[in-house]
Amino acid sequence: MDSAATASGGGFERDGVHSGRTPPEHPFRYTGLRVTQRRAIVLILNLATIAALGYGLFRLLSPGGIDVFEAIMLLGFLLAMPWTVLGFWNAIIGLMLQHGPGDPARSVYPFYPQGEYDRPRVLSSRTALTLFLRNEDPLPALARLEAMTASLKATGLERHFRVFVLSDTSDEVVAKVELAGFARFVETVDLAPENRPVYRRRAINTGYKAGNIHDFLDEHGGDYDFFLPLDSDSVMSGDAIVRLAAAMEARPEIGIMQSLVVGTPATSGFARMFQFGMRHGMRAFTMGAAWWNADCGPYWGHNALIRTAAFQGHCRLPVLPGSPPLGGHVLSHDQLEAAYMRRGGYEVRVLPIETQSYEANPPTFPDFAKRDLRWCQGNMQYWRFLFEPRLKLLSRFQVLQAILMYIAPPAWIAATFAAAWKAMSAGFDPTYLQLGLSLFGVIFFMSIAPKLAGMIDVCLTRGAVRSYGGPLRFGLSAIIEILASMLMAPIIAVYVSVFLLGLPFGRCMAWSGQNRDRLGVSFLSALKTMGLQTVIGVSLAVILLFGAGATAFLWALPMVAGLCLAIPFTMLTASKSFGRWTTRLGLFAIPEEGRMPRILSPLVPHAARHWRRPQAAYRSAQREAGVARQVLADSRT
């Protein structure tokens, strides 16, 4: 897009009258390089990096000719690199945008005004807030929805929004809890009859979540300009929602506007650790990706505002030939819906800044791994769409990247094991083992580059380190989280590799209720989940230690340690004591723990921000909360 040209469809200057907002000082336009130039730069950087690393590896392997094991090493390296290299450059570009001379608010997301003068006072649209449930405790989800409704009321624009709870629950016991909880929710929020929340439950979840969405739109879509899909762990402030609606009103060319989603404060030690690493890393990564993705951004399936007519007209996905898990209804529908929306002529934009858009993260490592496998299963259906007619070239690339994201872990596992076998097959040659583990090191470094860029971003942003608990807490948390990521990487790689091997034979993950807050993993459960990783790790350690010596073992330690420690790592990070210990010390703290947004105050337990308050004050707050709950219960009775 030309840096000097005003974007098509007018702008906030044109829409200032009907929206009731004071027009901003500058007209709507994207500054900086054209989108084609941005994409050319990113393409060159990625191809040059992959080519340089691949050529360096080829030169090391080729003097004596390349045999089968060396070919596996080279191929594995090349398959593993594209996703990690792209993440590396996204993070670098994002960091430069955040702290360079330019203004990303004008070059990346000028469609989203942030100033006080641009706070919406009037809306002309109607939006459906759609909450999706399936076989899990609905009460926490309804509590989040209640907080969102109260936040919308505070904006004075709640009449433009209506809540729909769309259930695919097949468990009759859970369904009864849903109905009872929804009835209490309706009574509590006390909205006007025309905005009264609606509950609908499907007897059969045909098409999974995507089918649920289209069933809803077929019945109610004509009444709403936009809809906002919410997962059961989603939370968004009223201000964030109405700003998205106002921005979509002003930009008719945008079909999907995806907000940046961050984790809510948690009592689970694993969730705290995971979301701490993601929190600062996502800022730089998403900013860099949005800079060149531009109008062809991704959609993550929730916490995004979607233009209803455009979605109905362009985003209905086909049923794939064959039987599940690789055939049938598409599971990971979101990225394909973004590609179809772009094919239909609408933009898909990502807002790369924090706007009080939240989600909860899995409380234990096994729950995280299961979620990852569900995504893996869905993404493996994408190969059928690589040659879908009329998709944009960048959309095809994004579909390919979604596939390669899950090809990368088994690829570097294969490369590393090929290097180890090569080193052992004809007497120990440390060169091959060092080479294999160097591949692991390079890929791991590039995979954590967004986190490293995020840490630099925090250090360069005034007051940011303090919001993460201060220099000591932030620095110690960062070191521990990176070490934990190093342990988790080979565990997840084996997990994904074994799952992919089983997919062609019908192995699949059930898409049902998820554990959102239950802590604790028994030894037997950990053994069942992580036993294979442990066997592989111990076997590899023994072979290297006694067959190749201490040097080989030490070189392999970064990978072997994670596999050998899979069971204790799983049990420790899932334990309640680990969660209490991290919260009391303020480890893995995120900004919301120090300064709690109003939308989260009724939802986040005090234990999730324990380090911020002395024990006496904490106990006093608990007593006050208990009294308030009792008063509320008495009033309802």
Coordinates of all heavy atoms in Angstrom, one line a residue, residues 380-422:
M380 N -2.7 -31.1 10.0 CA -2.4 -32.1 9.0 C -3.4 -32.3 7.9 O -3.2 -32.9 6.9 CB -2.1 -33.4 9.7 CG -0.8 -33.5 10.5 SD 0.7 -33.0 9.5 CE 1.0 -31.3 10.2
Q381 N -4.6 -31.7 8.1 CA -5.6 -31.8 7.0 C -5.4 -30.7 6.0 O -6.0 -30.7 5.0 CB -7.0 -31.6 7.7 CG -7.5 -32.7 8.6 CD -8.9 -32.4 9.2 OE1 -9.0 -31.3 9.8 NE2 -9.8 -33.3 9.0
Y382 N -4.5 -29.7 6.3 CA -4.3 -28.6 5.5 C -3.7 -28.9 4.1 O -3.8 -28.1 3.2 CB -3.4 -27.5 6.2 CG -4.1 -26.7 7.3 CD1 -5.4 -27.0 7.7 CD2 -3.5 -25.7 7.9 CE1 -6.1 -26.3 8.6 CE2 -4.1 -24.9 8.9 CZ -5.4 -25.2 9.3 OH -6.0 -24.5 10.2
W383 N -3.0 -30.0 4.0 CA -2.3 -30.2 2.7 C -3.2 -30.2 1.5 O -2.8 -29.9 0.4 CB -1.5 -31.5 2.8 CG -2.3 -32.8 2.9 CD1 -2.8 -33.4 4.0 CD2 -2.8 -33.6 1.8 NE1 -3.5 -34.5 3.7 CE2 -3.6 -34.6 2.4 CE3 -2.7 -33.4 0.4 CZ2 -4.2 -35.6 1.6 CZ3 -3.4 -34.4 -0.4 CH2 -4.1 -35.4 0.2
R384 N -4.5 -30.6 1.8 CA -5.5 -30.6 0.7 C -5.8 -29.2 0.2 O -6.4 -29.0 -0.9 CB -6.8 -31.3 1.2 CG -6.6 -32.7 1.6 CD -7.9 -33.2 2.3 NE -7.8 -34.6 2.8 CZ -8.1 -35.7 2.2 NH1 -8.5 -35.6 0.9 NH2 -8.0 -36.9 2.8
F385 N -5.5 -28.2 1.0 CA -5.8 -26.8 0.6 C -4.6 -26.0 0.0 O -4.8 -24.9 -0.4 CB -6.3 -26.0 1.9 CG -7.6 -26.6 2.4 CD1 -7.6 -27.6 3.4 CD2 -8.8 -26.1 2.0 CE1 -8.8 -28.1 3.9 CE2 -10.0 -26.6 2.5 CZ -10.0 -27.6 3.4
L386 N -3.5 -26.7 -0.2 CA -2.4 -26.0 -0.7 C -2.6 -25.6 -2.2 O -2.0 -24.6 -2.6 CB -1.1 -26.9 -0.7 CG -0.5 -27.1 0.7 CD1 0.6 -28.2 0.7 CD2 0.0 -25.8 1.3
F387 N -3.5 -26.3 -2.9 CA -3.8 -26.0 -4.3 C -5.3 -25.6 -4.4 O -5.8 -25.7 -5.5 CB -3.4 -27.2 -5.2 CG -2.0 -27.6 -5.0 CD1 -1.7 -28.7 -4.2 CD2 -1.0 -26.9 -5.6 CE1 -0.4 -29.1 -4.0 CE2 0.3 -27.3 -5.5 CZ 0.7 -28.4 -4.7
E388 N -5.9 -25.1 -3.4 CA -7.2 -24.6 -3.4 C -7.3 -23.5 -4.4 O -6.5 -22.5 -4.4 CB -7.7 -24.1 -2.1 CG -9.1 -23.6 -2.0 CD -10.1 -24.7 -2.0 OE1 -9.7 -25.9 -2.0 OE2 -11.3 -24.4 -1.9
P389 N -8.3 -23.4 -5.3 CA -8.4 -22.4 -6.3 C -8.5 -21.0 -5.7 O -9.2 -20.8 -4.7 CB -9.6 -22.8 -7.1 CG -9.8 -24.2 -6.9 CD -9.3 -24.5 -5.5
R390 N -7.9 -20.1 -6.4 CA -8.0 -18.6 -6.1 C -7.5 -18.1 -4.8 O -7.8 -17.0 -4.4 CB -9.4 -18.2 -6.4 CG -9.9 -18.4 -7.8 CD -11.3 -17.8 -8.0 NE -12.3 -18.5 -7.3 CZ -13.0 -18.0 -6.2 NH1 -12.7 -16.7 -5.8 NH2 -13.9 -18.6 -5.6
L391 N -6.9 -19.0 -4.0 CA -6.3 -18.5 -2.7 C -5.1 -17.5 -3.0 O -4.4 -17.7 -4.0 CB -5.8 -19.6 -1.9 CG -6.8 -20.5 -1.2 CD1 -6.1 -21.5 -0.2 CD2 -7.8 -19.7 -0.4
K392 N -5.0 -16.5 -2.2 CA -3.8 -15.6 -2.3 C -2.5 -16.4 -2.1 O -2.5 -17.4 -1.4 CB -3.9 -14.5 -1.3 CG -5.1 -13.6 -1.5 CD -5.1 -12.8 -2.7 CE -6.3 -11.8 -2.8 NZ -6.3 -11.0 -4.0
L393 N -1.5 -16.0 -2.8 CA -0.2 -16.6 -2.6 C 0.3 -16.7 -1.2 O 0.8 -17.7 -0.7 CB 0.9 -16.0 -3.5 CG 2.3 -16.6 -3.5 CD1 2.2 -18.0 -4.0 CD2 3.3 -15.7 -4.3
L394 N 0.1 -15.6 -0.5 CA 0.5 -15.5 0.9 C -0.4 -16.5 1.8 O 0.1 -17.1 2.7 CB 0.4 -14.1 1.5 CG 0.9 -13.9 2.9 CD1 2.3 -14.5 3.2 CD2 0.8 -12.4 3.3
S395 N -1.6 -16.6 1.4 CA -2.5 -17.6 2.2 C -2.0 -19.0 2.0 O -2.0 -19.8 2.9 CB -3.9 -17.4 1.7 OG -4.5 -16.2 2.0
R396 N -1.6 -19.3 0.8 CA -1.0 -20.7 0.5 C 0.3 -20.9 1.4 O 0.5 -22.0 1.9 CB -0.7 -20.9 -0.9 CG -1.9 -20.8 -1.9 CD -1.5 -21.2 -3.3 NE -2.5 -20.8 -4.2 CZ -3.6 -21.5 -4.5 NH1 -3.8 -22.6 -3.9 NH2 -4.5 -21.1 -5.3
F397 N 1.1 -19.8 1.4 CA 2.3 -19.9 2.2 C 1.9 -20.2 3.7 O 2.6 -21.0 4.4 CB 3.1 -18.7 2.1 CG 4.3 -18.6 3.0 CD1 5.4 -19.4 2.8 CD2 4.3 -17.8 4.1 CE1 6.5 -19.3 3.7 CE2 5.3 -17.7 5.0 CZ 6.5 -18.5 4.7
Q398 N 0.9 -19.5 4.2 CA 0.5 -19.6 5.6 C 0.0 -21.0 5.9 O 0.2 -21.6 7.0 CB -0.5 -18.5 6.0 CG 0.1 -17.1 6.0 CD -1.0 -16.0 6.1 OE1 -2.1 -16.2 5.6 NE2 -0.6 -14.9 6.6
V399 N -0.7 -21.6 4.9 CA -1.2 -22.9 5.1 C 0.0 -23.9 5.1 O 0.0 -24.8 6.0 CB -2.2 -23.3 3.9 CG1 -2.5 -24.8 3.9 CG2 -3.5 -22.5 4.0
L400 N 1.0 -23.7 4.3 CA 2.2 -24.5 4.3 C 2.9 -24.4 5.6 O 3.4 -25.4 6.2 CB 3.0 -24.1 3.1 CG 4.4 -24.9 3.0 CD1 4.2 -26.4 2.8 CD2 5.2 -24.3 1.8
Q401 N 3.0 -23.2 6.1 CA 3.7 -22.9 7.3 C 3.0 -23.6 8.5 O 3.7 -24.1 9.4 CB 3.8 -21.4 7.6 CG 4.9 -20.7 6.9 CD 6.3 -21.2 7.4 OE1 7.0 -21.9 6.8 NE2 6.6 -20.7 8.6
A402 N 1.7 -23.7 8.5 CA 0.9 -24.3 9.5 C 1.2 -25.8 9.5 O 1.3 -26.5 10.6 CB -0.6 -24.1 9.3
I403 N 1.5 -26.4 8.3 CA 1.9 -27.8 8.3 C 3.3 -28.0 8.7 O 3.6 -28.9 9.6 CB 1.7 -28.3 6.8 CG1 0.3 -28.2 6.4 CG2 2.2 -29.7 6.7 CD1 0.0 -28.5 4.9
L404 N 4.2 -27.2 8.3 CA 5.6 -27.3 8.6 C 5.9 -27.1 10.1 O 6.8 -27.6 10.6 CB 6.5 -26.3 7.8 CG 6.6 -26.6 6.3 CD1 7.4 -25.5 5.6 CD2 7.2 -27.9 6.1
M405 N 5.0 -26.3 10.7 CA 5.1 -26.1 12.2 C 5.2 -27.4 12.9 O 5.9 -27.5 14.0 CB 4.0 -25.2 12.7 CG 4.0 -24.9 14.2 SD 2.8 -23.6 14.6 CE 1.3 -24.5 14.3
Y406 N 4.4 -28.4 12.5 CA 4.4 -29.7 13.1 C 5.3 -30.7 12.4 O 5.4 -31.8 13.0 CB 3.0 -30.2 13.3 CG 2.2 -29.4 14.3 CD1 1.3 -28.4 13.9 CD2 2.4 -29.6 15.6 CE1 0.6 -27.6 14.8 CE2 1.7 -28.8 16.6 CZ 0.8 -27.9 16.2 OH 0.2 -27.1 17.1
I407 N 5.8 -30.4 11.3 CA 6.8 -31.3 10.7 C 8.2 -31.0 11.3 O 9.0 -31.9 11.3 CB 6.8 -31.1 9.1 CG1 5.5 -31.4 8.5 CG2 7.9 -31.8 8.5 CD1 5.1 -32.9 8.7
A408 N 8.4 -29.8 11.7 CA 9.7 -29.4 12.2 C 10.2 -30.2 13.4 O 11.3 -30.7 13.4 CB 9.7 -27.9 12.6
P409 N 9.4 -30.5 14.5 CA 9.9 -31.3 15.6 C 10.4 -32.7 15.2 O 11.5 -33.0 15.6 CB 8.7 -31.3 16.6 CG 7.9 -30.1 16.2 CD 8.0 -29.9 14.8
P410 N 9.6 -33.5 14.5 CA 10.1 -34.8 14.1 C 11.3 -34.7 13.1 O 12.2 -35.6 13.1 CB 8.9 -35.5 13.4 CG 8.0 -34.4 13.1 CD 8.2 -33.4 14.1
A411 N 11.4 -33.6 12.4 CA 12.5 -33.4 11.4 C 13.8 -33.3 12.2 O 14.8 -33.9 11.9 CB 12.2 -32.3 10.5
W412 N 13.8 -32.4 13.2 CA 15.1 -32.3 13.9 C 15.4 -33.4 14.9 O 16.5 -33.7 15.2 CB 15.2 -30.9 14.6 CG 14.4 -30.5 15.7 CD1 13.4 -29.7 15.8 CD2 14.6 -31.0 17.1 NE1 12.9 -29.5 17.1 CE2 13.6 -30.3 17.9 CE3 15.5 -31.8 17.7 CZ2 13.5 -30.5 19.3 CZ3 15.3 -32.0 19.1 CH2 14.4 -31.4 19.8
I413 N 14.3 -34.1 15.3 CA 14.6 -35.4 16.1 C 15.3 -36.4 15.1 O 16.3 -37.0 15.5 CB 13.2 -36.0 16.5 CG1 12.8 -35.2 17.8 CG2 13.3 -37.4 16.8 CD1 13.5 -35.6 19.1
A414 N 14.8 -36.5 13.9 CA 15.4 -37.5 13.0 C 16.8 -37.0 12.7 O 17.7 -37.9 12.6 CB 14.6 -37.5 11.7
A415 N 17.1 -35.7 12.5 CA 18.4 -35.3 12.1 C 19.4 -35.5 13.3 O 20.5 -35.9 13.1 CB 18.4 -33.8 11.8
T416 N 18.9 -35.3 14.5 CA 19.8 -35.5 15.7 C 20.1 -37.0 15.9 O 21.2 -37.3 16.2 CB 19.1 -34.9 16.9 OG1 18.8 -33.5 16.7 CG2 20.0 -35.1 18.2
F417 N 19.1 -37.8 15.8 CA 19.3 -39.3 15.9 C 20.2 -39.8 14.8 O 21.0 -40.7 15.0 CB 18.0 -40.0 16.0 CG 17.4 -40.1 17.4 CD1 16.6 -39.0 17.8 CD2 17.7 -41.1 18.2 CE1 16.1 -39.0 19.1 CE2 17.2 -41.1 19.5 CZ 16.4 -40.1 20.0
A418 N 20.0 -39.3 13.6 CA 20.9 -39.7 12.5 C 22.4 -39.3 12.8 O 23.3 -40.1 12.5 CB 20.4 -39.1 11.2
A419 N 22.6 -38.1 13.3 CA 23.9 -37.7 13.7 C 24.5 -38.6 14.8 O 25.7 -39.0 14.7 CB 23.9 -36.3 14.1
A420 N 23.7 -38.9 15.8 CA 24.2 -39.8 16.9 C 24.5 -41.2 16.3 O 25.5 -41.8 16.7 CB 23.1 -39.9 17.9
W421 N 23.7 -41.7 15.4 CA 24.0 -43.1 14.9 C 25.2 -43.0 14.0 O 26.0 -43.9 14.0 CB 22.8 -43.5 14.0 CG 23.0 -44.9 13.4 CD1 23.4 -45.2 12.1 CD2 22.8 -46.1 14.0 NE1 23.5 -46.5 11.9 CE2 23.1 -47.1 13.1 CE3 22.4 -46.5 15.3 CZ2 23.1 -48.5 13.4 CZ3 22.3 -47.9 15.6 CH2 22.6 -48.8 14.6
K422 N 25.4 -42.0 13.2 CA 26.6 -41.8 12.4 C 27.8 -41.8 13.3 O 28.9 -42.4 12.9 CB 26.4 -40.5 11.6 CG 27.6 -40.3 10.6 CD 27.6 -41.3 9.5 CE 28.7 -41.0 8.5 NZ 28.7 -41.9 7.4

